[in-house]
Each structure stands twice: as C-alpha cells, then as structure tokens.
Amino acid sequence: MIDPETKNIIVPRYYQPRPYQIEAWKRKQSGFWNYYFKLYHRQAGKDTSDLQEGMKGAWDNPGTQTAYVGLDNVWISENIFKKTIDGRKFWSEYPDELIDPKDTAKEVYFKNNPEGIAPARIKFIGFLNDQQLIGSSYDSFIISECSLYKRNAFEYIQPIWDQKEAQGKKLLVSFNGTPRGLKNNLYDLLCTYTGVDDPELFPGEHINSDGTIRCYVDRLKANETMIIDERTGELRRLFTDEQLEVIRQRAIRSTGSDNIFRQEYMCDFTAANSGLVYPGIE
C-alpha cells in the first residue's frame, strides 16, 4: 500500500498491534529505552509483536543488524520460518521485491536501503548456537521466552551491551516472557536491569544514576487485556471476571491449587510451576 500524500510504502501491510501493544510500539520506537521487557500473560501475542516491531525497525533503519534469539534452531524454524497467521507468513507484511528471507541461513534482508548503505538484516539464532552472538555487533536484540533459558544464559553476551552503553551507541534489547518463579533467568534479568528485587516493583520505568541503563517493564495481566470487539468495533476486556474465575477453578481441579492460573494469567512470580513449557510463538 502507498500513502497517497507522501508516496511512501505503508508497512506492515496486514498486521495491526492490539490496543495494549500500541503503547509498547511507541515506547520502543522513541529510541529512549535500551532495555525493554514484555512481561505478558500467556497467549498475549508478545512474540509476534516483538517480531513485527523488529521488522519495522529494520525497515525504518537501513544498515542496521538485529539478532532475534529463540530457544533453539527447531523453535526458530517451526515458529518463525514455517509459521503462518491467517494464511500468511510474517514476511508477507512487506513487498516481495523489498524483502529477502533466507530459510537456510535463517536471516532476512530488507532491500529498501538507499545507495551506499547496506540492507538491514535480522539474524534468527537458536540459543544452542549462541556462539553466533559472542563478539557480534548487532544494534538490537530480541530475546524470546526468557524464563526458559538457564540462569546466567547471557553472561557472555551482556558485555556487548555494556560496551555499547559505555560508548553511547544506540542499543535496544527486547526481552519477553511469562513468570516461572523467582529462580530463573527472567527474574534475574529483571532484577539486574530494574535495580529492584520485588516483582511488584518491576513494572514501569527504571533509569540508573548515570542514565546508561534505561529500562521499561511492560506487565500485562489477563484481567487488564483490552481488545477491539470484531462485532461492535468497541474496546472491551478480553476476559471477563467470570471467565477468569472459571479458568482459575479449572486449574484448582486439575492441579490442586491456582498456582498455574496465577503464573500464566496473572504474571505472578510467587506461583511457580516448573514443569510448564510452552515452546510455540504466540
């Protein structure tokens, strides 16, 4: 689609952020935050929105390089390169002649670059191949499902971020995940970049004394999620209180407690269910 006034190509062509995702898009596009956490309840679309934000960022900034980190190469293949939404792959959001996805290399190039500037690139990396990240010079990082990585998983990658901060270079590291207790990688990262240990203090802005770490934590519980009703076009809650109570009671009958409900739907760090693994993109 072409904007009739500016003659610019409008992208993405089909994807529209959900109401609760729009503010996240605005914050990340502002360029102010260098660490951004999406602490969303399960199936809130955090992976899809992060990928769409990453692709739009690559399109808008020719010459930049982004690393999208998934759990492993199988996860990357199944949930990004083979996945379709409404019959379309993620790349369908951009004109075929201006996007070049490479399945074997697991990377995508955006060919809207002006002469003299390289195409922007997104490299998709399964974390088991994390040697591709060590010593790299990516401008931005997207790390999916942070709670499912081993603790200290990124200790060899964080020096890259430290170096960029020290040099005042542009950096955006986007994390997403759903809580899995207090003894996992997501909780550790949140403590590190917010400077607080209490999960109730995680949401919102966190800026360190010299301004080199500018972190925003975007928490979304299931009772806060708003959508546009397809029938009426009006804004409404995704789940009513009654629906959430039905889900909570189902969890109690199934597991003997509401821990799984509190963790997966209410983003509660104190309700740990260590056996829960959801490897699919949302």
Side-chain angles (χ1 to χ4, degrees):
M1 184 181 297
I2 304 294
D3 186 310
E5 295 185 4
T6 65
K7 307 302 181 184
N8 292 332
I9 298 172
I10 299 175
V11 291
R13 296 193 287 192
Y14 310 106
Y15 175 78
Q16 291 293 324
R18 298 172 185 174
Y20 56 87
Q21 295 167 340
I22 292 174
E23 289 304 313
W25 275 64
K26 291 179 180 178
R27 291 189 200 101
K28 292 170 79 171
Q29 289 180 339
S30 73
F32 178 77
W33 306 103
N34 52 12
Y35 295 94
Y36 199 100
F37 288 83
K38 284 184 180 174
L39 187 59
Y40 283 9
H41 67 85
R42 194 62 64 187
Q43 292 297 310
K46 55 186 180 293
D47 275 309
T48 296
S49 64
D50 270 349
L51 177 55
Q52 294 290 353
E53 290 162 7
M55 291 198 298
K56 185 62 165 63
W59 174 270
D60 290 341
N61 297 278
T64 57
Q65 298 193 76
T66 298
Y68 188 108
V69 182
L71 297 174
D72 53 36
N73 285 343
V74 173
W75 190 95
I76 291 290
S77 180
E78 292 296 324
N79 295 295
I80 294 179
F81 280 82
K82 293 182 180 179
K83 186 178 179 70
T84 60
I85 297 178
D86 297 328
R88 294 185 291 265
K89 291 191 174 183
F90 291 112
W91 332 127
S92 300
E93 302 288 349
Y94 294 81
D96 290 343
E97 67 275 14
L98 295 177
I99 189 169
D100 183 15
K102 297 183 181 296
D103 194 337
T104 301
K106 296 294 184 282
E107 57 190 8
V108 176
Y109 289 87
F110 294 81
K111 300 190 293 184
N112 63 324
N113 52 303
E115 186 176 353
I117 297 180
R121 179 180 73 130
I122 301 180
K123 177 69 175 178
F124 295 88
I125 301 170
F127 191 71
L128 294 180
N129 287 18
D130 64 334
Q131 67 272 12
Q132 297 180 52
L133 289 164
I134 297 171
S136 63
S137 58
Y138 292 102
D139 303 288
S140 59
F141 297 76
I142 301 169
I143 301 175
S144 176
E145 293 292 359
C146 289
S147 61
L148 302 183
Y149 299 92
K150 64 182 180 181
R151 299 186 83 171
N152 299 317
F154 304 114
E155 61 184 355
Y156 295 111
I157 303 170
Q158 286 171 300
I160 301 170
W161 309 337
D162 297 337
Q163 180 84 354
K164 286 183 176 290
E165 290 165 8
Q167 294 178 346
K169 291 184 177 180
K170 189 174 181 180
L171 170 70
L172 174 60
V173 184
S174 300
F175 306 95
N176 74 54
T178 301
R180 287 171 61 85
L182 302 176
K183 296 181 179 179
N184 66 76
N185 190 54
L186 176 59
Y187 175 77
D188 293 344
L189 287 167
L190 281 160
C191 291
T192 296
Y193 290 104
T194 64
V196 298
D197 298 332
D198 184 348
E200 288 304 308
L201 299 179
F202 286 157
E205 303 180 2
H206 303 272
I207 303 172
N208 69 349
S209 58
D210 64 3
T212 55
I213 295 179
R214 301 178 303 281
C215 174
Y216 194 94
V217 179
D218 186 3
R219 183 178 67 181
L220 182 70
K221 301 179 181 181
N223 62 350
E224 302 168 338
T225 305
M226 304 296 290
I227 63 169
I228 301 294
D229 192 298
E230 293 182 357
R231 294 170 298 176
T232 66
E234 296 179 353
L235 196 64
R236 68 168 178 85
R237 278 178 57 179
L238 174 61
F239 295 104
T240 64
D241 289 336
E242 291 77 13
Q243 289 171 325
L244 288 173
E245 181 59 21
V246 168
I247 297 170
R248 191 180 79 86
Q249 291 298 329
R250 184 182 67 204
I252 293 172
R253 290 193 299 272
S254 176
T255 66
S257 77
D258 67 353
N259 278 357
I260 186 172
F261 169 81
R262 288 162 49 209
Q263 174 177 288
E264 300 297 301
Y265 287 86
M266 305 306 290
C267 296
D268 187 341
F269 278 89
T270 65
N273 282 270
S274 60
L276 296 178
V277 177
Y278 294 80
I281 194 169
E282 299 180 356

